[in-house]
Amino acid sequence: MKIKKIEIGENLFGKNDEIARENSELLRKYNILSLNLMGSPGSGKTSILELTIRKLKEKNITCGVIEGDIAGTFDSERISFLEVPVVQINTGGACHLEAMMIKKGMEQLTLNEIKVLFVENVGNLVCPAEFKLGIKYNVTVASITEGEEKPLKYPLMYSVSQLVLLNKIDLLKAIDFDTEKFFQYAKKTNPDIKIIPVSGKTGDNINQFVDFIEEQLLIQ
Amino acid sequence: MKIKKIEIGENLFGKNDEIARENSELLRKYNILSLNLMGSPGSGKTSILELTIRKLKEKNITCGVIEGDIAGTFDSERISFLEVPVVQINTGGACHLEAMMIKKGMEQLTLNEIKVLFVENVGNLVCPAEFKLGIKYNVTVASITEGEEKPLKYPLMYSVSQLVLLNKIDLLKAIDFDTEKFFQYAKKTNPDIKIIPVSGKTGDNINQFVDFIEEQLLIQ
C-alpha cells in the first residue's frame, strides 16, 4: 500500500491543546476509537502494532495508522504490508508529535472507513507525554530490557497513560527484570494504570490488548 | 509533579552555547577529560559507567560523575557505591541536560582531584543531542534490543557522537539483531564514528572503552 508522507515544519507548533480538542471532536464525530502508542526507541511499538492490526483485521475491525518518526519511513513501510491506510509524519527533528500533526495526518485518511486509529509516536519516553493530541487512550509500550525502575524515572509518561504494554516478556529468562517491582512502581506513579505483559515477538498476550480495544469499542 | 517546560528558541541555544564554552574552558584549565553518555532509557549507561569506573580506579585514574535524571536518584546511588564523587541533577521534567546544569554540577565537585568527568545524560535518544554541554566527547550508548535501524531513525544523536558503545551483546543469541547493518547505518549517518560492542552485564569489551579513555588522556 502506498505511504502518504507529510513533512512538518517547526513553525506549525502552537495552540496545541485547542487543536487537540478539535481532533478529539472529529474522532468522536466519526465514532473512531483512538490510541496513542508511546515509548522508548526500540521498545517494540511497531511490532505490537503489526500483531494487533492483524488480529483486528481478522475480526473485520478496520484500522488506520499515523506513524510519527523524526526521519525515515521504516515503520510505515512495515505497517503498509498489512494493507491498512498509514500516514507517515516526519517531524524533521522534533522529539514528539503535536496535535497539528495528527490533524494533518487525519486529513489524509478516509475517516468513515476506520474504526480504530493508532498513532505511533516518536520513540521517546519523555517529550511525547507533554503534548495532548486529542487521542483517547495513551498507551506506554515498555520493554523489560529497559529495567523495572523506569516508571519512577519517567513519571510523566506513566501518569498520562491509561495502559502499559510491558513488552519482550519472551526475554524474561535472559534478562534480570523484576516484574513485581515494575508493577509496584507503575502503580505508585499511576494507581489507575492497567498493565498487560506481552511479547511482540511471540505474540503472547496480544489478545489481551485486542480484548481491551474491543471493550473500548463497545463503550464508545 | 510540576513540569518545567522549556521553549527552545535561538536565545536559549545562544546562551547555552556560551555556558558550554565556559564549561569547556574550565575543564581544559583543570586538564579533565570529559565524556557525555547519552542513549535511550535502559540502554545501559549506568551499568557501563559502573564497570568503567571500577577499571579506571584500579589504574588510579580518578573519576567524577554528573548524573542527569528527570526524577529520582537511582543512578547516582549506584555510582556512589563506587566511592567516586557524584552529583545528581534532577531536571524536574526537562528531557535533557543543558550547559548551565553541568556548570552547577561542576561547582559541586573538587575539580583538581578529577582526571575523568563522566556525564550521564537523561535517557533520551533525541533531545540531549541538541544541547552543547562543553563536554569533549559525546558517547551514544545503544542497546542491541533497540534494533539495528536506530542510527537512521535518530540521526542527530549519531551525528554529534564520536563513539558508540553498542551494548548488551550478551543477548545477541536471544535477539534478532543485525550487527553488520547497525555498523553500516551508523557509519552512513556519521562516517567518522567509532563503535565498540560491549556488554554492561558480563563486562565484555569494556576494556576497549577504558583503552579509548586512556588514549584520550594521553593526548589531552
Side-chain angles (χ1 to χ4, degrees), chain A residues 69 75 123 145 153-154 168, chain B residues 42 69 75 123 145 153-154 168:
Chain A
D69 282 296
D75 297 345
T145 59
K153 287 183 75 178
Y154 301 87
K168 308 197 187 176
Chain B
D69 282 295
D75 297 346
T145 60
K153 288 183 73 178
Y154 302 87
K168 307 197 188 177

Side-chain angles (χ1 to χ4, degrees), chain A residues 184-198:
Chain A
Q184 188 187 318
Y185 293 156
K187 294 277 182 189
K188 191 176 170 188
T189 305
N190 180 352
D192 300 324
I193 211 159
K194 183 180 162 73
I195 305 169
I196 306 176
V198 298

Side-chain angles (χ1 to χ4, degrees), chain B residues 52-71:
Chain B
T52 306
I53 289 171
R54 266 181 220 282
K55 286 180 188 284
L56 290 172
K57 278 191 83 173
E58 284 167 17
K59 293 167 184 276
N60 292 317
I61 297 170
T62 52
C63 303
V65 179
I66 296 175
E67 277 292 342
D69 282 295
I70 289 172

Side-chain angles (χ1 to χ4, degrees), chain A residues 78-132:
Chain A
R78 284 170 64 183
I79 297 295
S80 69
F81 278 120
L82 305 174
E83 300 288 327
V84 295
V86 54
V87 182
Q88 174 76 54
I89 294 177
N90 279 151
T91 65
C95 52
H96 58 273
L97 291 176
E98 294 187 17
M100 178 56 89
M101 303 176 188
I102 301 301
K103 182 185 159 97
K104 296 268 176 193
M106 287 199 294
E107 284 169 9
Q108 303 292 320
L109 294 167
T110 310
L111 294 178
N112 58 11
E113 291 175 3
I114 292 172
K115 278 189 193 158
V116 181
L117 175 67
F118 292 102
V119 172
E120 185 180 341
N121 219 306
V122 176
N124 185 331
L125 204 55
V126 189
C127 317
E130 292 179 29
F131 291 82
K132 285 182 186 158

